[in-house]
């Protein structure tokens, strides 16, 4: 059986919704939710939580972004449901 697609999904960090900007993109491809931060900056560090809801229920996934030194990099995290 197939999994129903997400009806609602939200990324948060430090209790605040992560919203698209010139450096942040949130992409949905079928049942995959992708968070892209390019380039990263020190204030981007921390725990990111994705909450996904559909008619079956709700699930959350967590990941942590940590930067070493002053390195700037791309951050891409995808979740398939």
């Amino acid at each position: 059986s197939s999994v129903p697609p997400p009806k609602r999904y939200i990324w948060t960090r430090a209790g605040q919704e992560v919203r698209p900007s010139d450096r942040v993109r949130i992409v949905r491809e079928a049942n995959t939710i992708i968070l892209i931060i390019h380039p990263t900056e020190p204030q981007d560090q921390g725990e990111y939580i994705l909450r996904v809801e559909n008619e079956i229920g709700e699930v959350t996934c967590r990941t942590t972004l940590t930067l070493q030194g002053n390195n700037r990099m791309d951050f891409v995290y995808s979740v398939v449901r």
Side-chain angles (χ1 to χ4, degrees):
S1 74
S2 64
V3 175
K7 289 197 180 236
R8 183 171 187 267
Y9 51 91
I10 182 172
W11 282 99
T12 59
R13 186 180 70 78
Q16 300 293 315
E17 182 177 355
V18 176
R19 295 186 179 271
S21 69
D22 58 334
R23 295 185 312 106
V24 177
R25 289 190 330 156
I26 299 172
V27 178
R28 176 179 167 203
E29 296 176 357
N31 287 347
T32 302
I33 311 298
I34 306 166
L35 173 63
I36 303 168
I37 302 174
H38 170 77
T40 56
E41 296 188 358
Q43 67 266 23
D44 297 323
Q45 295 184 103
E47 182 180 59
Y48 288 80
I49 300 171
L50 172 64
R51 187 175 77 233
V52 179
E53 301 172 9
N54 65 17
E55 58 263 16
I56 293 176
E58 178 180 310
V59 66
T60 58
C61 300
R62 299 170 185 264
T63 189
T64 301
L65 173 60
T66 304
L67 302 177
Q68 301 293 324
N70 291 325
N71 294 337
R72 295 176 72 176
M73 58 178 278
D74 295 347
F75 177 70
V76 178
Y77 187 77
S78 64
V79 176
V80 178
R81 285 285 171 224

